[in-house]
Amino acid sequence: MTEPQRIEVIAQTAEEAIEGLPAGFGEGLGGRIAFWIAVTFSAFQIWAAAYGTLPSQIIRSMHVGFLLLLGFALVANLLAKRAATKALFWALALLGFSTGLYNWVFYADIIRRSGFLTTADIVVGTLLLVLVFDLSRRLMGWALATIAGIFLAYCFFGQHLPGPLVHRGYDFVQIIEHFSFGTEGIYGTPVYVSAAYIFIFVVFAAFLERAGMLKLFNDFALGLVGGWRGGPAQVCILSSALMGTISGSGVANVVASGQFTIPLMKRFGFRSSFAGGVEATSSMGGQIMPPVMGAVAFIMAETLNVPYASVVQAAILPAILYFGVCFWMVYLEAGKAGLKGMDKATLPNPWRAVKEQWPLVLPLVALVWLLFAGFTPIFAGTMGLALVVVLILGAPLAALIGPFVFRLLFWIVLGLAAASFIRFGVDLLALVIALLVLACAVFKGGRETLLIVRDALAEGARNALPVGIACAIVGVIIGTLTLTGIASTFIGAIIAIGENNLFLSLLLTMLVCLVLGMGIPTIPNYIITSSLAGPALMELGVPLLVSHMFVFYFGIMADLTPPVALACFAAAPMAKTSGLKISLQASKLAVAGFVVPFMAVYTPALMLQDAGPIAATFGYPVEVIYIFTKACLAIGLWGVAVVGYGLGHALWWERALAMLAGATLVAALPLTDEIGFALAALVIGLHWVRMRRRSREGLA
């Protein structure tokens, strides 16, 4: 296979769909250069994460520099038609990269002359701001760039506005210094998290996919739940949940797995819109699926200064509820349509798939252990990635060993050598990888494996591009909030509303998330809304982590709710129906995503946070179990009400009673639990009696 062909293969298997860019790195010399830029980008980030010898400011600036270099290079190769336009974009790519080099070379000087920028500083800072806006517009569309532009314009002209919106005014140099240097603007917390955490985990996911993890997930899901009622849709949900453990990109999961699952569901008898809705809903749930949640989770941990494990802990029960409801709704919909499970004789054995490919699970297990053992996400992600590389490089060498005993001994020795980083540090693990690379370069079959590693590095960098650019442009919004203090005005308004009615404050926050989500991805949506609403909700007594999870959830729901549902429109071409029809089905399937955040605000134990009155009497575990059980019952009843099917077709009054019972169970008011349980028992009992009678009469 030639180099351009190999690059094209990478393009076709790339996980992340970038708005505005076709697949691949481009053809000819330009494509090869862009490809190797991506490889170098990944290598730099892995080296920086593993050794951490560079100052944070340099890593942030070089991260943005590489994003601009790779982004404009791809624009030149994939979008530009004329030679002059290609040359222009390549020039912009080099200029963008030069902003990172400038911060590196003059790092100490820039710190010393803080507040007294030179002409060169101002030129570089202005160039950085313009290039970030331009690339964001080209990759992410106009919406996010426009919102950030409005915030930037407010810095320049806000002193002329009336009332509470007015600020004291800032000159051009002060604004450029704030946004283009230091850690308050473009190089703020979102870019730090992108450089330190997100990039590593995106590359980690790319390596696992290259190693065959996606096939393992699909085989396991097919064998385990393919025989259930509505089998193909259940497979879609389980495989998306499993995929969410290594990849937190919802829209990317739709594109990656939907090509397999949506046609399968349609062939089995599901409506096109429902099949697309199942894929979109379950794939978006990957962002809240531990252990590797969406990029927002890492930003949240850094913003709140809490361990990443705390964020994962808060997401466990909601994630179970979210996917549990998806399974339940599919089960009901399949029953209503008279659909059975897939033929078990044709399905793979799930445990045989695990037995044959169990080594792929080891890096994921190691990652989870490191995260919950108290190691930082950057260390856990880097070591998890290194273990995947060891696994991939060791496979062709193990294949050369004949007897099984010696092969097993090879893996044990290699595993112990790789795990020794816990005691002896990163250097020994790097030495192990270097020796494996040399061995693969010498022995038969090893060179192809080295190409897999190289291609995964390029794929990971390309996948991280839209996330990184989103983090960079949203730094302008955060920088505006810190420079002007406008956030306090919004916070005061929410507090004023919440003093009279917390529910209205929550509803307002939810609507802001959903409206913003019509035009911008989950990451900037979360950052903007949490910066404004998070402190206000905390002032109203909502635990800080719960308030941020509230915003996170509705940022995800924005990709499922009409009229602009990005995940649903991504599924539309594969489902061959309109994105709007898919989004209506997805909104029904994702009922847990709408309900759980409100429940968690009033009963934080649902996110394993503050204890309530039940814990004072019976203990915290009892409270958690009680609230989780209540949530399961409520959402289960709503499923029956929405689908119109339980043990059989539900009558209109049964659906209405089920909806009312679910609502009273969710409401955190005196006596509502008692009323809810009574109504639930009534509707379940009456429905069971009616269906039993119909069954005896042979009518069910």
Side-chain angles (χ1 to χ4, degrees):
M1 184 182 292
T2 65
E3 184 79 4
Q5 289 174 327
R6 196 172 284 115
I7 292 172
E8 187 62 25
V9 170
I10 273 285
Q12 293 169 358
T13 58
E15 174 196 343
E16 187 71 50
I18 303 175
E19 181 178 344
L21 284 183
F25 289 89
E27 299 178 351
L29 178 62
R32 289 193 292 272
I33 293 174
F35 178 85
W36 283 105
I37 287 172
V39 174
T40 306
F41 188 7
S42 290
F44 170 78
Q45 290 291 163
I46 293 169
W47 172 79
Y51 290 97
T53 55
L54 290 176
S56 176
Q57 184 71 12
I58 292 177
I59 294 176
R60 300 181 198 203
S61 60
M62 288 301 297
H63 183 72
V64 176
F66 266 115
L67 290 171
L68 294 172
L69 177 63
L70 179 59
F72 279 114
L74 292 177
V75 171
N77 292 343
L78 301 174
L79 296 181
K81 302 299 182 184
R82 294 178 295 180
T85 312
K86 287 180 182 288
L88 173 61
F89 283 124
W90 272 106
L92 293 179
L94 294 174
L95 285 173
F97 188 64
S98 70
T99 62
L101 291 177
Y102 186 88
N103 276 271
W104 191 346
V105 173
F106 298 105
Y107 169 68
D109 295 333
I110 291 172
I111 291 177
R112 279 195 296 268
R113 58 178 179 251
S114 177
F116 302 94
L117 299 185
T118 64
T119 302
D121 294 338
I122 297 170
V123 170
V124 171
T126 304
L127 179 66
L128 173 66
L129 203 56
V130 171
L131 291 178
V132 167
F133 265 93
D134 189 46
L135 187 58
S136 171
R137 174 184 66 84
R138 295 181 188 279
L139 297 187
M140 314 297 293
W142 278 100
L144 181 54
T146 301
I147 293 173
I150 292 171
F151 275 80
L152 183 61
Y154 176 69
C155 294
F156 281 104
F157 308 111
Q159 66 270 28
H160 304 298
L161 295 177
L165 296 178
V166 69
H167 60 65
R168 64 181 180 84
Y170 309 94
D171 61 34
F172 181 81
V173 174
Q174 187 176 2
I175 291 174
I176 292 300
E177 181 174 14
H178 185 77
F179 287 110
S180 299
F181 298 95
T183 57
E184 295 293 335
I186 289 174
Y187 299 140
T189 299
V191 158
Y192 165 72
V193 176
S194 176
Y197 307 154
I198 297 172
F199 191 98
I200 297 299
F201 280 89
V202 170
V203 176
F204 176 74
F207 269 90
L208 278 179
E209 285 190 43
R210 283 277 164 181
M213 183 63 89
L214 187 58
K215 181 181 184 303
L216 172 60
F217 286 160
N218 284 336
D219 288 347
F220 182 77
L222 273 169
L224 195 66
V225 301
W228 292 7
R229 182 197 290 176
Q234 308 287 22
V235 169
C236 172
I237 296 167
L238 181 58
S239 63
S240 294
L242 292 172
M243 191 64 196
T245 62
I246 64 169
S247 169
S249 176
V251 176
N253 289 350
V254 172
V255 175
S257 60
Q259 301 175 51
F260 163 72
T261 58
I262 293 177
L264 182 63
M265 285 185 275
K266 290 177 64 178
R267 286 199 303 271
F268 195 72
F270 284 105
R271 291 172 289 124
S272 296
S273 58
F274 186 80
V278 171
E279 177 58 55
T281 306
S282 53
S283 289
M284 288 307 298
Q287 296 189 65
I288 60 170
M289 186 66 186
V292 182
M293 299 164 62
V296 168
F298 296 102
I299 297 174
M300 187 188 304
E302 187 66 29
T303 302
L304 301 181
N305 194 26
V306 299
Y308 176 73
S310 298
V311 178
V312 170
Q313 177 181 301
I316 290 175
L317 293 183
I320 294 173
L321 284 173
Y322 185 95
F323 283 101
V325 169
C326 289
F327 281 120
W328 175 240
M329 297 290 278
V330 164
Y331 185 81
L332 295 177
E333 185 74 24
K336 183 178 180 180
L339 302 177
K340 306 295 182 181
M342 302 170 70
D343 183 5
K344 292 185 178 181
T346 65
L347 299 176
N349 186 317
W351 307 114
R352 181 180 301 165
V354 174
K355 181 181 178 181
E356 292 174 351
Q357 304 180 70
W358 63 268
L360 293 176
V361 182
L362 295 180
L364 190 59
V365 172
L367 174 67
V368 174
W369 180 80
L370 289 170
L371 286 173
F372 282 90
F375 292 94
T376 63
I378 186 171
F379 181 82
T382 305
M383 294 305 101
L385 173 59
L387 293 177
V388 178
V389 174
V390 169
L391 185 68
I392 293 175
L393 294 176
L397 302 178
L400 298 174
I401 303 173
F404 172 77
V405 175
F406 291 108
R407 211 162 49 242
L408 181 61
L409 182 62
F410 168 81
W411 280 117
I412 292 174
V413 172
L414 185 59
L416 291 174
S420 62
F421 72 86
I422 292 291
R423 182 170 182 180
F424 299 106
V426 177
D427 288 339
L428 184 58
L429 183 55
L431 177 62
V432 171
I433 293 175
L435 292 174
L436 289 172
V437 169
L438 289 175
C440 285
V442 172
F443 291 105
K444 180 182 177 182
R447 294 184 185 90
E448 289 77 6
T449 304
L450 292 179
L451 295 180
I452 291 175
V453 171
R454 182 205 63 184
D455 292 351
L457 289 172
E459 182 180 333
R462 193 183 195 278
N463 292 349
L465 182 58
V467 178
I469 287 298
C471 288
I473 190 68
V474 85
V476 174
I477 298 170
I478 302 304
T480 300
L481 300 180
T482 58
L483 180 65
T484 64
I486 185 62
S488 60
T489 302
F490 188 87
I491 292 169
I494 293 182
I495 292 174
I497 295 172
E499 284 176 346
N500 299 317
N501 193 323
L502 174 60
F503 181 75
L504 287 180
S505 289
L506 296 172
L507 199 60
L508 174 63
T509 304
M510 179 191 75
L511 292 175
V512 169
C513 291
L514 295 179
V515 171
L516 278 178
M518 292 180 184
I520 64 176
T522 306
I523 295 171
N525 189 346
Y526 161 77
I527 294 172
I528 296 169
T529 314
S530 65
S531 300
L532 296 172
L537 295 178
M538 187 178 69
E539 289 291 328
L540 297 172
V542 180
L544 189 58
L545 184 55
V546 172
S547 67
H548 279 249
M549 291 293 287
F550 184 92
V551 172
F552 180 21
Y553 267 69
F554 284 110
I556 294 172
M557 292 301 103
D559 281 341
L560 297 176
T561 51
V564 182
L566 296 180
C568 299
F569 280 91
M574 291 168 281
K576 293 182 171 55
T577 187
S578 75
L580 182 60
K581 291 181 179 178
I582 293 175
S583 68
L584 293 175
Q585 296 295 327
S587 298
K588 293 195 301 183
L589 288 163
V591 62
F594 292 97
V595 176
V596 167
F598 283 95
M599 289 189 69
V601 168
Y602 291 100
T603 52
L606 189 59
M607 290 186 178
L608 304 180
Q609 299 301 301
D610 299 353
I614 297 177
T617 306
F618 300 102
Y620 189 65
V622 173
E623 179 175 20
V624 171
I625 293 171
Y626 171 77
I627 293 172
F628 180 73
T629 303
K630 185 176 72 163
C632 290
L633 179 59
I635 298 173
L637 289 168
W638 278 348
V640 173
V642 170
V643 177
Y645 191 88
L647 299 173
H649 289 278
L651 301 177
W652 70 267
W653 61 267
E654 291 175 329
R655 298 173 69 175
L657 199 58
M659 183 65 73
L660 179 61
T664 52
L665 285 170
V666 168
L669 299 173
L671 296 179
T672 52
D673 282 4
E674 292 83 349
I675 295 172
F677 281 118
L679 289 175
L682 178 63
V683 68
I684 292 172
L686 291 175
H687 181 69
W688 181 81
V689 168
R690 187 175 68 83
M691 296 313 302
R692 184 178 176 85
R693 184 183 303 122
R694 287 175 62 86
S695 178
R696 288 173 178 172
E697 296 171 358
L699 298 176

